[in-house]
Amino acid sequence: MSENTRTTTGSTVAAPDARPTPPPSTRTPSGGGLLSGSIGRNLGLVVAFALLCIVGIVTAGDRFASTDNVLTILRLAAVVGVVSIGMTFVIIGGGIDLSVGALVALSSVWATTLATQAVAADVHWIVMVGTAVLVGAVAGLVNGVVIAYGKLVAFIATLAMLAAARGLAEIIANRRTQIVQDQDFLRFFSGSVLGIPTLVWMFALVAVAGWVLLNRTTFGRRTFAVGGNAEAARLAGIRVQRHTVALYVLSGVTCGIAAVMLMARTTTGSSTHGTLLELDTIAAVVIGGTLLIGGRGTIVGTVIGVLIFTTLSNVFTLNNLSSSAQAVAKGVIIVAAVLLQQRVAAGRRQRRSSKALPPTAAEGAPAGASPGVPAP
Amino acid sequence: MSENTRTTTGSTVAAPDARPTPPPSTRTPSGGGLLSGSIGRNLGLVVAFALLCIVGIVTAGDRFASTDNVLTILRLAAVVGVVSIGMTFVIIGGGIDLSVGALVALSSVWATTLATQAVAADVHWIVMVGTAVLVGAVAGLVNGVVIAYGKLVAFIATLAMLAAARGLAEIIANRRTQIVQDQDFLRFFSGSVLGIPTLVWMFALVAVAGWVLLNRTTFGRRTFAVGGNAEAARLAGIRVQRHTVALYVLSGVTCGIAAVMLMARTTTGSSTHGTLLELDTIAAVVIGGTLLIGGRGTIVGTVIGVLIFTTLSNVFTLNNLSSSAQAVAKGVIIVAAVLLQQRVAAGRRQRRSSKALPPTAAEGAPAGASPGVPAP
Amino acid sequence: MAGTDLSSPLLEMQGIVKTFPGVRALGGVDLDVQAGEVHCLLGQNGAGKSTLIKVLAGAHQPDEGVIRWQGAEVRLTDPQAAMNLGIATIYQELDLVAGLSVADNVFLGRERSRFGLNRPATDQRATAALMARLGHPEIRPGTEVGALSAASQQMVSIARALSQDARLIVMDEPSAVLDNEEVERLFAVVRDLTADGVAVVYISHRLEEIRQIGDRITVIKDGATVATGLPARETPTREVISLMTGRTIEYVFPQRTERVAVTATPVLEVSDLSVPGRFSDVSFTVAPGEILGLAGLVGSGRSEVLEAVYGARRPSSGEVRVDGKRLRPGDVAAAVGAGVGLAPEERKSQALMLGDPIYRNITLSSLARFSRAGFLSVRAEKAAAREQTEALDLRPVDVDREVRTLSGGNQQKVVLARWLLRDCRVLLLDEPTRGVDVGARSEIYALVRALADRGVAVVVVSSEIPEVLGLADRVLVLGDGRVLADEPATALDEHRVLDLVMQGLPSGATHTTEGHVA
Amino acid sequence: TGNTPEASSSGGGGNNAASSNDDTGDTVTIGFSAPAADHGWMAQITAAARAEADSYDDVELVVAEGTNDVSTQISQVETFINDGVDAIVLLPFDGAALTPIALEAMQAGIPVINVDREFNDPDAARVTILGDNYGMGVSAGTYICSQLGDQPDAVVAEVAGIDSLPLTQERSQGFSDALADCGLDVDNRVAAEFTVESGEEVTANLLQAAPQIDALWNHDDDQGIGVLAAINNAGRDEFFMVGGAGSANAMRSIQAGDSVLQATVIYPASQAADGVRLARLVAQDKALSDLIDVEVPRRITLSAPVVTADNVDQYIDSAFES
Ligand SMILES: Nc1ncnc2c1ncn2[C@@H]1O[C@H](COP(=O)(O)OP(=O)(O)OP(=O)(O)O)[C@@H](O)[C@H]1O
Ligand SMILES: Nc1ncnc2c1ncn2[C@@H]1O[C@H](COP(=O)(O)OP(=O)(O)OP(=O)(O)O)[C@@H](O)[C@H]1O
Ligand SMILES: [Mg+2]
Ligand SMILES: [Mg+2]
């Protein structure tokens, strides 16, 4: 969390300092196309991801490179990915949501109860989708209200929700796995469009929507403000509390969507769905360059973060590593990836700052630094 | 800058604000005896805990109030408690340690390998203790160095360590549960002194040591400074990086001690020890009033936090609650506890401010009220 | 006072009371502001100025009192409400979002959007225009605010206020981080505004500014109005000061002690120090008991010089010696160990643990003195801290109070107290009196001089040239990262210094953007 | 087969059931996926499967990272299908959730051997090898009945495994059903996580909840180590305990008779090994020569025998080390 304490302060005076300097990848997008902007900022991550893929190809050859395998990776990434998008908003907004896994479970269970499925059978499977999303949204609302108005630490509030939601899911499902009966539902969601699985489309859609919302709308800009400096946001007339609630509802909604995706993928609703999902998503978001203290982060980074983790376990499986060895390797690779990311970032800063300073004055170059540069 | 403003807003009484108002219970100890001071500041928590105990007595009567049961609760609290003390330091210092559970597992496994036990058999069981603590310390050192000098986000670095350490533990133990052979070891640690189990004594010892270290030594003072504003700490002449490393080593050591305690409690070393311990400890620390952004926290709060959680599950069991119901109840109770804690805190602030406040009033009171204002 | 009708003031605040836990910040303050006037709000540190204007901005809710806007009573439940009335505020503690761009900050909360989508281009154009108006075209709309200097950030919040087309603009110590040039430019803007009938509430501790720009003065002391409606230009300074402080202070600098040791071996020797892109080949020495002043424009690199000397920045070349011993470059702890102290320029980010009690902030660099075998004696700490707070007339007296709850000026005093407490061989002060009231200023000057007389070598950076000239024995004029002059203070006057600074400007840079060309 | 100690010992490397089937055939690649090996029994499942595979030089076993996230496990099976393995041995974290992907595999012509947790569609597996969870509960219940059938007011406690797993529900169901037959019921029930630590923790609380106990059933011998530790810590011995799964540790202490542990109900950890074995046969179109049936059967349910001091010697060699 305080990682960036160091940074922001650290940035006035660039100097040796315990706190990790955040890669510029975490600089909030201020205009600039997706490609030039976000990807550029996440260059280090991209490189790390590319390396990972190369390893995959070298070790598993076509088995890795095959379309099927790529789709497999994407399908797996989809569920975690959708939730991670919501999580990105919450974290940039200065919060954290530990309840996502439980909410996915609760939504999936609620949407697959006999009652719900009965109604769905009569009306349309959209009812199940609606139920899942609604349950997620409401749970998110509760999180948000408790945090924004009850002034509870987000960590505690959502931890409580984690326990409560899972318990509730178990009670509703009576700990049995609920089978999805509606074939149309399954056909729709487990199908493909243009050879790309529906789930992947959904992920793509959510990601793009998230990117626009974060970088191109007032809501997104205010999210950065609320997370970056809540008091300043308040003084600027932003209704911080209301906005915070909205963020958690958003996260809840993504959980609902993820629940639907899981239901399609597994044809079941279960109180065990999404176990430890919170850890996976937060990890993906943070490795994607979003600061846990809030105020900075990118959707693109998160997406790459998700891909890195899913690709990692895929490569492991392809290479038939013992799961213990996998764990160790995973740890090492994560560290390596982030370190690489930082070095690249640093390198990029060097180059950038050596030419036109202004945008990256972040390193605290004094006015006097480059007297020649005339004003625009 | 943003960090500071956050701290400001985080606790500006007036500002309605996304971030919860930290109750004054989180005010850093400013001298004063443990009782008058810390407990006072944590009054709300104490009340919450008391209520919980009353519920226990009402619902389970003597079964709850019995010495045996109290000792059971304490013995169960001991392991989580010791780790939580270390975690409190790390979090106050502005970091986070997700690897504690895995470190406990690794230490317990390493300390119970045939090799270690063989040496211990020849020399003395202290060897096992030494091994456990050393392993924890070294792992903590790795964490610290990666974070302080590698400038990795603590969350990611320790998450990586979590994966790696567990994997390593599994490899070493070959996923077997390793039985502790040394009877003297077991006799010593599972014994009691003055009717109090050794484990409880250890917890008490660690807690008191932690309290003194945090509130009465320069180390503790620097910990608050580093967590509160790293850049300022650096400019005040504190070696922030070195200090950060020390904090993670400290956390590692507590993991080693906890491992020994677990070995005594379960008579085994296992790669499954301490599963999700990180969540339990962080929860206990945060509910104890320590701020996740660092700079503020109390040992007493943490201890009460740990007791609340262990007592909770004890009361549940005494009432033979289904685990699902437990989960739901747990969630609700956590929220209730913290809310209560804040109300009490607020109330306390009110009283404090309403009753005459000679030293503080000086600059606030209207001119007439403080004739002697002009400086000496 | 362009055509104002005194009968119906634009704003009336009556009997405003605001209590914080443990503090009565405002105990019935009155304020009335006419359209088109510059109304100056004066008071000591902690008098309640910022609290009052926060109430006016809807950021704080008053416990009692009425606010009338154009004669009609209003309730300002939140900042939005105040803005809607046409009240814009420049807060003392720059409340900007470091992670957002300049343009984003300027229009935060009032983003223009079409179909829910932002229009960055529009905002950026508007921002660029505002910055040009403020004479800071070099501050680009796309730049991240966190990357800007305190001065530049101040400009952003001013632009933010201007962008609101407000009827009343409140400025809480806007000049604290600015130098003369920039203050002049600000005043020009203010005059334009008042000419258009906009009212300005102006807070500053620099009384000469009040003379220049002010129309009427309201003085508050300890949370109560002690005088209001005084004519800004006529009222003699002494009277204003005594109203503020309740005593008479000669706003003068302490006598220089004559034995400025030119002969004595210097305590601090800086030779050919360079930080690429910041400054180059800076050399100077400071003798024991000598006060060296660093003058220059904002961005001239003064702070960087201090930071480099202190080890907070790693110099590319050159060396620093204290008592002849070479300091390890880029190692603050080593410097502190060698007896060097730096009171940095940005108190919030660089100096203070806002959540910690006052005494802990003060003793942080001197812990060794209060500890035996690592164990602290809190009692001794507090005693020592109290001495300092009394010496600096810091309020509140209660050293257990969290620094966060202190007024801006009092926070600055805490920073100074830390280094006054630790008896340094070399003391580096960057803008030591930023936001400090007149009373405390003279006390600080006296303290610094007293330290010098005890053989400490002092280096003072200040954007107020009179302060440099008055306090220092010798003045180093920096411009564009180079030493332009190194002369005894007595041999300089304000104009001479300014001329020197101008010389230092790179040819080509226009007069309006000097020192700020990014 | 598979449920007898002899066959179970194949988990140790099945060269004892000598038959033509053990002759090396054309090499087959078998994909193996199971839940996270977060407790002794599950660890043993994987270990035994590997050992079994190693014992054949015509089998290459591809083991996917153990996971409790169905989504991940599904993607693992997908990977197997992409790779075109010859057979898949699948111990699903949740049978129903893995059914569709198993069906896909079958449709892709890859025989799936379903182990331990059953799919909800018979067509999703070529062979299904099940430990009998319900039967396990029944065995435990019946044994306890046989010990205290005559005292209807006896206090029976239960330490369950991970409570959110369907298999735990089945075990508890069987247990209470069997107890009901002799007029007993479960007075105190707690659920652990199959780990030693959790076993010790919940039992410590349980023993406080029930000051006097007559019999206690613990679902899993690995967590049972913790359960016993808790019992010793509390110095309780007024009751007898029945274990589950049948780890070597448990059997040794049954043999020694030095603890309250009086019996344990076997839940074969060799299932996956048997699965690998069958997968190989199926992939090589061989039959189970030790069965009369010419084909490999569709469904094999391993019984859940009770091990007591009397018959422990018979089982202890085949028991798994947790
Ligand atoms: N106009 C500017 N644009 C961008 N950054 C600036 C500008 N002026 C100063 N800075 C930065 O602000 C910090 C302090 O300013 P600097 O030390 O360069 O000048 P100074 O003489 O100390 O002026 P000040 O009076 O603001 O301290 C440094 O990090 C410097 O890089
Ligand atoms: N959030 C707060 N909590 C508690 N006390 C506060 C808070 N904010 C201000 N105060 C107190 O209110 C009093 C007035 O503070 P204020 O900031 O208004 O002074 P000021 O006139 O602006 O001083 P300065 O000139 O130094 O800015 C001070 O004693 C301060 O300690
Ligand atoms: Mg102020
Ligand atoms: Mg400066």
Side-chain angles (χ1 to χ4, degrees):
Chain A
M1 15 245 47
S2 41
E3 277 64 31
N4 141 304
T5 307
R6 294 91 168 187
T7 5
T8 16
T9 57
S11 67
T12 341
V13 185
D17 169 33
R19 321 314 231 239
T21 331
S25 66
T26 61
R27 290 199 44 224
T28 54
S30 46
L34 191 144
L35 246 143
S36 65
S38 313
I39 298 255
R41 274 192 301 282
N42 293 298
L43 191 59
L45 270 182
V46 177
V47 173
F49 181 54
L51 282 184
L52 187 56
C53 293
I54 291 170
V55 172
I57 293 170
V58 171
T59 54
D62 308 345
R63 285 168 50 238
F64 177 83
S66 73
T67 330
D68 284 351
N69 190 51
V70 173
L71 288 184
T72 304
I73 295 176
L74 289 178
R75 237 187 268 108
L76 177 58
V79 177
V80 189
V82 167
V83 180
S84 302
I85 299 297
M87 185 68 82
T88 309
F89 276 85
V90 171
I91 294 183
I92 291 179
I96 188 102
D97 188 349
L98 297 180
S99 66
V100 286
L103 294 195
V104 170
L106 183 60
S107 305
S108 76
V109 166
W110 205 308
T112 53
T113 49
L114 294 177
T116 321
Q117 297 215 38
V119 182
D122 304 344
V123 189
H124 186 271
W125 51 259
I126 202 73
V127 172
M128 291 165 68
V129 180
T131 317
V133 174
L134 190 68
V135 171
V138 171
L141 183 69
V142 175
N143 277 338
V145 170
V146 171
I147 292 167
Y149 295 92
K151 301 209 185 301
L152 233 67
V153 186
F155 186 94
I156 289 296
T158 55
L159 186 70
M161 176 58 81
L162 158 65
R166 263 210 202 284
L168 189 56
E170 286 176 8
I171 293 172
I172 294 176
N174 187 24
R175 297 217 195 79
R176 302 250 180 274
T177 306
Q178 303 177 154
I179 314 292
V180 177
Q181 307 299 352
D182 193 316
Q183 291 311 312
D184 305 344
F185 173 91
L186 296 177
R187 225 173 283 109
F188 179 86
F189 284 105
S190 50
S192 318
V193 180
L194 315 173
I196 311 267
T198 319
L199 295 189
V200 179
W201 281 115
M202 291 173 73
F203 177 28
L205 226 66
V206 172
V208 171
W211 188 87
V212 173
L213 184 61
L214 185 63
N215 302 324
R216 288 283 175 271
T217 70
T218 305
F219 181 86
R221 189 173 298 179
R222 293 183 172 190
T223 305
F224 283 110
V226 168
N229 183 344
E231 177 63 0
R234 189 178 74 89
L235 295 177
I238 296 174
R239 306 216 185 295
V240 175
Q241 285 163 299
R242 204 178 294 169
H243 194 90
T244 306
V245 174
L247 289 174
Y248 285 92
V249 172
L250 185 67
S251 168
V253 170
T254 56
C255 292
I257 299 173
V260 174
M261 296 164 81
L262 255 185
M263 280 153 56
R265 202 165 149 71
T266 64
T267 70
T268 62
S270 157
S271 56
T272 63
H273 280 350
T275 318
L276 293 190
L277 186 61
E278 52 277 7
L279 219 57
D280 299 349
T281 46
I282 297 177
V285 171
V286 174
I287 211 174
T290 298
L291 296 183
L292 271 172
I293 151 197
R296 287 150 175 265
T298 65
I299 295 288
V300 176
T302 298
V303 171
I304 303 178
V306 172
L307 288 178
I308 286 184
F309 278 110
T310 39
T311 312
L312 202 56
S313 66
N314 175 268
V315 172
F316 282 147
T317 311
L318 290 177
N319 290 301
N320 194 13
L321 243 63
S322 100
S323 49
S324 311
Q326 291 190 19
V328 178
K330 198 168 178 173
V332 177
I333 292 176
I334 293 177
V335 173
V338 180
L339 283 179
L340 175 72
Q341 141 95 336
Q342 287 178 2
R343 299 296 161 267
V344 177
R348 205 153 151 280
R349 266 210 306 280
Q350 294 313 323
R351 281 193 304 289
R352 284 264 293 290
S353 48
S354 58
K355 48 185 166 69
L357 259 168
T360 14
E363 299 76 65
S370 48
V373 185
Chain B
M1 174 183 298
S2 77
E3 180 273 346
N4 298 306
T5 18
R6 163 150 309 100
T7 325
T8 326
T9 61
S11 34
T12 302
V13 192
D17 155 10
R19 237 155 259 79
T21 315
S25 69
T26 62
R27 278 197 52 218
T28 49
S30 52
L34 193 143
L35 246 140
S36 66
S38 313
I39 298 255
R41 270 191 303 284
N42 292 299
L43 190 57
L45 270 182
V46 178
V47 173
F49 180 55
L51 282 183
L52 186 57
C53 293
I54 292 170
V55 173
I57 294 170
V58 171
T59 55
D62 307 345
R63 298 206 341 280
F64 177 85
S66 73
T67 334
D68 277 359
N69 191 49
V70 173
L71 289 184
T72 307
I73 295 177
L74 289 178
R75 234 180 54 257
L76 291 181
V79 175
V80 188
V82 167
V83 179
S84 302
I85 299 297
M87 184 68 81
T88 309
F89 276 86
V90 171
I91 294 184
I92 291 180
I96 188 100
D97 188 350
L98 298 179
S99 67
V100 286
L103 294 195
V104 169
L106 184 59
S107 305
S108 76
V109 166
W110 205 309
T112 53
T113 50
L114 293 178
T116 320
Q117 297 215 40
V119 181
D122 302 345
V123 188
H124 187 270
W125 52 258
I126 202 72
V127 173
M128 293 165 67
V129 179
T131 316
V133 173
L134 189 68
V135 171
V138 172
L141 181 69
V142 176
N143 277 337
V145 170
V146 171
I147 292 166
Y149 295 92
K151 304 205 188 302
L152 230 67
V153 184
F155 186 93
I156 289 294
T158 55
L159 184 69
M161 175 59 81
L162 157 64
R166 250 197 219 291
L168 188 56
E170 286 175 4
I171 293 173
I172 295 176
N174 187 21
R175 296 238 189 72
R176 298 280 165 79
T177 307
Q178 301 178 155
I179 311 290
V180 176
Q181 308 298 352
D182 193 316
Q183 291 310 312
D184 304 345
F185 173 91
L186 295 177
R187 223 171 288 111
F188 179 85
F189 284 105
S190 51
S192 316
V193 181
L194 315 174
I196 311 269
T198 319
L199 296 188
V200 179
W201 281 115
M202 291 173 74
F203 177 27
L205 225 67
V206 173
V208 171
W211 188 88
V212 172
L213 185 61
L214 186 63
N215 302 321
R216 287 284 177 271
T217 70
T218 49
F219 181 88
R221 188 58 58 76
R222 297 204 171 99
T223 306
F224 282 111
V226 169
N229 182 346
E231 175 62 5
R234 190 177 72 89
L235 290 178
I238 297 174
R239 297 195 186 280
V240 175
Q241 284 164 302
R242 203 177 293 175
H243 193 87
T244 307
V245 174
L247 289 174
Y248 286 93
V249 172
L250 185 67
S251 166
V253 170
T254 55
C255 292
I257 300 175
V260 173
M261 297 164 80
L262 255 186
M263 281 154 54
R265 240 179 63 190
T266 65
T267 71
T268 63
S270 158
S271 55
T272 65
H273 279 353
T275 315
L276 292 189
L277 183 61
E278 54 276 8
L279 221 56
D280 300 349
T281 46
I282 298 176
V285 171
V286 174
I287 211 173
T290 298
L291 293 187
L292 274 172
I293 58 167
R296 296 158 153 244
T298 65
I299 295 288
V300 176
T302 298
V303 172
I304 304 178
V306 172
L307 289 179
I308 287 184
F309 278 110
T310 25
T311 312
L312 203 54
S313 56
N314 175 265
V315 172
F316 284 148
T317 312
L318 292 183
N319 293 303
N320 205 10
L321 240 63
S322 93
S323 51
S324 311
Q326 287 193 25
V328 177
K330 193 170 178 176
V332 177
I333 292 177
I334 293 177
V335 174
V338 181
L339 284 178
L340 174 73
Q341 139 95 338
Q342 288 176 3
R343 300 295 159 267
V344 177
R348 209 153 150 278
R349 268 207 307 280
Q350 291 315 323
R351 280 194 304 289
R352 275 231 315 282
S353 48
S354 59
K355 68 175 160 66
L357 15 91
T360 5
E363 86 296 330
S370 55
V373 164
Chain C
M1 308 224 293
T4 46
D5 164 16
L6 291 169
S7 64
S8 74
L10 177 66
L11 169 77
E12 263 185 300
M13 300 178 82
Q14 282 178 354
I16 302 296
V17 174
K18 176 64 183 176
T19 324
F20 294 109
V23 189
R24 192 131 183 262
L26 297 178
V29 176
D30 306 331
L31 175 70
D32 73 287
V33 181
Q34 306 288 347
E37 76 166 335
V38 176
H39 196 109
C40 298
L41 197 54
L42 297 185
Q44 275 177 296
N45 296 130
K49 302 182 293 297
S50 298
T51 306
L52 181 66
I53 65 103
K54 279 187 176 168
V55 168
L56 175 55
H60 283 335
Q61 292 309 305
D63 306 336
E64 295 168 34
V66 293
I67 303 175
R68 286 199 198 75
W69 180 257
Q70 296 176 318
E73 181 164 348
V74 292
R75 290 203 63 253
L76 303 170
T77 51
D78 59 11
Q80 194 74 58
M83 291 186 208
N84 295 343
L85 285 185
I87 301 174
T89 310
I90 300 168
Y91 296 93
Q92 178 175 20
E93 307 302 343
L94 309 169
D95 278 306
L96 300 171
V97 182
L100 288 178
S101 73
V102 170
D104 291 350
N105 270 285
V106 168
F107 289 101
L108 186 63
R110 294 169 292 111
E111 302 84 353
R112 303 86 155 298
S113 59
R114 187 190 287 149
F115 318 125
L117 294 190
N118 287 337
R119 301 164 60 186
T122 327
D123 290 355
Q124 302 215 347
R125 246 181 277 108
T127 308
L130 282 164
M131 286 306 170
R133 179 177 172 194
L134 289 171
H136 280 266
E138 87 286 356
I139 303 177
R140 313 262 173 80
T143 311
E144 198 176 303
V145 159
L148 295 177
S149 69
S152 309
Q153 289 183 1
Q154 184 66 66
M155 287 303 160
V156 175
S157 26
I158 294 173
R160 195 181 144 64
L162 294 182
S163 71
Q164 297 177 33
D165 314 315
R167 303 285 315 285
L168 168 66
I169 299 184
V170 183
M171 303 184 175
D172 194 351
E173 301 191 29
S175 60
V177 296
L178 305 180
D179 63 30
N180 311 34
E181 284 298 322
E182 286 164 316
V183 173
E184 282 310 324
R185 225 172 282 116
L186 174 62
F187 285 176
V189 174
V190 169
R191 291 196 183 90
D192 295 351
L193 290 169
T194 49
D196 303 345
V198 176
V200 173
V201 172
Y202 188 88
I203 301 177
S204 173
H205 290 292
R206 299 182 185 171
L207 298 181
E208 64 279 11
E209 293 176 3
I210 309 303
R211 293 238 168 291
Q212 289 180 48
I213 194 75
D215 295 316
R216 297 193 302 152
I217 299 178
T218 293
V219 181
I220 50 180
K221 177 171 185 305
D222 297 332
T225 309
V226 292
T228 187
L230 301 173
R233 290 179 187 73
E234 289 70 18
T235 322
T237 306
R238 299 179 136 281
E239 185 184 334
V240 173
I241 295 179
S242 62
L243 277 169
M244 283 167 56
T245 61
R247 57 203 162 119
T248 53
I249 298 167
E250 292 69 28
Y251 181 27
V252 295
F253 295 96
Q255 274 305 319
R256 295 197 175 79
T257 39
E258 278 327 314
R259 54 143 192 74
V260 169
V262 193
T263 55
T265 51
V267 181
L268 176 66
E269 298 165 275
V270 177
S271 41
D272 308 325
L273 206 60
S274 303
V275 171
R278 264 60 161 194
F279 60 85
S280 51
D281 301 330
V282 172
S283 311
F284 59 85
T285 64
V286 188
E290 186 180 25
I291 300 179
L292 175 71
L294 282 188
L297 295 171
V298 169
S300 54
R302 297 164 301 175
S303 295
E304 270 91 346
V305 170
L306 294 195
E307 285 159 7
V309 170
Y310 191 54
R313 288 177 185 270
R314 194 175 264 102
S316 61
S317 67
E319 64 172 20
V320 179
R321 291 180 177 278
V322 173
D323 292 329
K325 283 185 292 304
R326 188 169 182 281
L327 291 186
R328 191 161 156 275
D331 183 347
V332 172
V336 173
V340 186
L342 167 70
E345 121 183 75
E346 289 177 13
R347 50 177 176 254
K348 272 199 168 190
S349 63
Q350 295 183 302
L352 293 171
M353 282 70 195
L354 290 166
D356 282 3
I358 294 172
Y359 80 91
R360 290 189 173 202
N361 275 278
I362 292 179
T363 58
L364 186 60
S365 298
S366 321
L367 286 179
R369 184 194 301 183
F370 306 102
S371 64
R372 206 176 288 97
F375 286 88
L376 283 167
S377 154
V378 177
R379 201 165 283 91
E381 272 186 275
K382 291 188 177 176
R386 245 178 237 108
E387 281 179 21
Q388 294 300 326
T389 55
E390 278 157 18
L392 289 170
D393 184 26
L394 184 146
R395 300 109 167 279
V397 196
D398 174 13
V399 293
D400 279 327
R401 282 277 294 282
E402 289 172 22
V403 169
R404 176 172 30 78
T405 68
L406 296 188
S407 73
N410 282 309
Q411 289 182 357
Q412 183 64 36
K413 293 180 189 172
V414 173
V415 178
L416 285 175
R418 176 186 297 165
W419 293 108
L420 296 179
L421 173 62
R422 179 186 172 84
D423 36 17
C424 306
R425 295 286 292 124
V426 178
L427 190 55
L428 312 172
L429 305 173
D430 197 346
E431 311 281 1
T433 59
R434 171 172 294 181
V436 174
D437 65 46
V438 281
R441 269 166 196 256
S442 42
E443 276 149 14
I444 290 174
Y445 297 145
L447 278 164
V448 171
R449 173 54 65 184
L451 277 174
D453 292 346
R454 275 198 264 123
V456 178
V458 183
V459 181
V460 177
V461 167
S462 173
S463 298
E464 292 175 59
I465 297 175
E467 185 171 280
V468 180
L469 294 177
L471 184 59
D473 300 309
R474 198 153 53 84
V475 176
L476 211 64
V477 180
L478 282 188
D480 182 23
R482 283 177 290 111
V483 179
L484 302 174
D486 179 351
E487 300 177 22
T490 45
L492 291 165
D493 64 23
E494 191 155 356
H495 302 292
R496 171 113 176 77
V497 174
L498 279 172
D499 294 346
L500 281 166
V501 171
M502 300 315 159
Q503 288 173 26
L505 289 168
S507 53
T510 66
H511 201 279
T512 50
T513 62
E514 65 227 356
H516 308 286
V517 188
Chain D
T1 176
N3 56 348
T4 66
E6 300 78 47
S8 305
S9 69
S10 64
N15 23 30
N16 51 348
S19 77
S20 64
N21 283 334
D22 293 339
D23 308 344
T24 303
D26 35 6
T27 301
V28 292
T29 309
I30 301 175
F32 178 86
S33 172
D38 49 16
H39 60 285
W41 185 87
M42 193 58 79
Q44 177 57 19
I45 278 283
T46 318
R50 281 185 184 278
E52 182 69 11
D54 295 344
S55 69
Y56 299 102
D57 37 25
D58 58 357
V59 171
E60 197 214 333
L61 192 71
V62 182
V63 182
E65 178 179 20
T67 174
N68 292 350
D69 172 27
V70 285
S71 189
T72 309
Q73 199 172 20
I74 289 173
S75 77
Q76 293 173 344
V77 179
E78 281 172 351
T79 315
F80 290 148
I81 301 175
N82 298 338
D83 280 8
V85 294
D86 303 296
I88 297 173
V89 177
L90 183 57
L91 200 171
F93 176 76
D94 177 336
L98 271 286
T99 303
I101 191 65
L103 266 171
E104 215 173 288
M106 291 291 280
Q107 278 149 11
I110 303 174
V112 176
I113 315 299
N114 176 201
V115 178
D116 186 40
R117 304 177 188 176
E118 191 172 13
F119 296 141
N120 62 334
D121 178 344
D123 301 335
R126 167 64 182 79
V127 187
T128 306
I129 309 175
L130 295 177
D132 183 357
N133 285 302
Y134 182 84
M136 199 180 162
V138 172
S139 308
T142 330
Y143 178 80
I144 289 178
C145 280
S146 69
Q147 300 296 307
L148 359 128
D150 48 355
Q151 28 185 312
D153 55 358
V155 178
V156 179
E158 179 184 7
V159 179
I162 299 175
D163 223 3
S164 56
L165 294 181
L167 70 91
T168 302
Q169 303 309 304
E170 292 172 27
R171 291 180 181 181
S172 296
Q173 193 56 50
F175 187 53
S176 55
D177 290 357
L179 287 179
D181 295 344
C182 62
L184 287 174
D185 63 346
V186 179
D187 301 270
N188 292 80
R189 183 182 186 279
V190 290
E193 257 86 51
F194 282 145
T195 63
V196 182
E197 183 189 1
S198 60
E200 197 273 346
E201 186 169 341
V202 297
T203 310
N205 281 327
L206 172 75
L207 294 177
Q208 296 305 323
Q212 201 284 330
I213 301 177
D214 296 293
L216 180 153
W217 182 43
N218 161 48
H219 285 209
D220 178 86
D221 284 337
D222 196 29
Q223 81 185 18
I225 302 174
V227 175
L228 283 173
I231 293 170
N232 296 336
N233 291 339
R236 297 275 289 268
D237 61 359
E238 80 276 10
F239 58 89
F240 70 92
M241 165 176 165
V242 180
S247 75
N249 284 324
M251 296 203 187
R252 275 193 286 271
S253 49
I254 291 174
Q255 215 168 18
D258 56 3
S259 74
V260 293
L261 184 60
Q262 220 173 72
T264 186
V265 187
I266 287 198
Y267 192 76
S270 58
Q271 311 182 21
D274 294 336
V276 171
R277 187 174 241 218
L278 293 180
R280 168 173 170 276
L281 298 184
V282 171
Q284 294 177 344
D285 305 320
K286 295 183 181 169
L288 275 188
S289 59
D290 19 22
L291 291 183
I292 306 89
D293 195 343
V294 292
E295 275 291 306
V296 173
R298 284 207 73 86
R299 181 184 176 88
I300 304 170
T301 305
L302 311 173
S303 74
V306 176
V307 180
T308 64
D310 313 336
N311 62 354
V312 63
D313 315 335
Q314 178 190 351
Y315 291 93
I316 193 157
D317 309 321
S318 64
F320 68 93
E321 289 291 345
S322 67

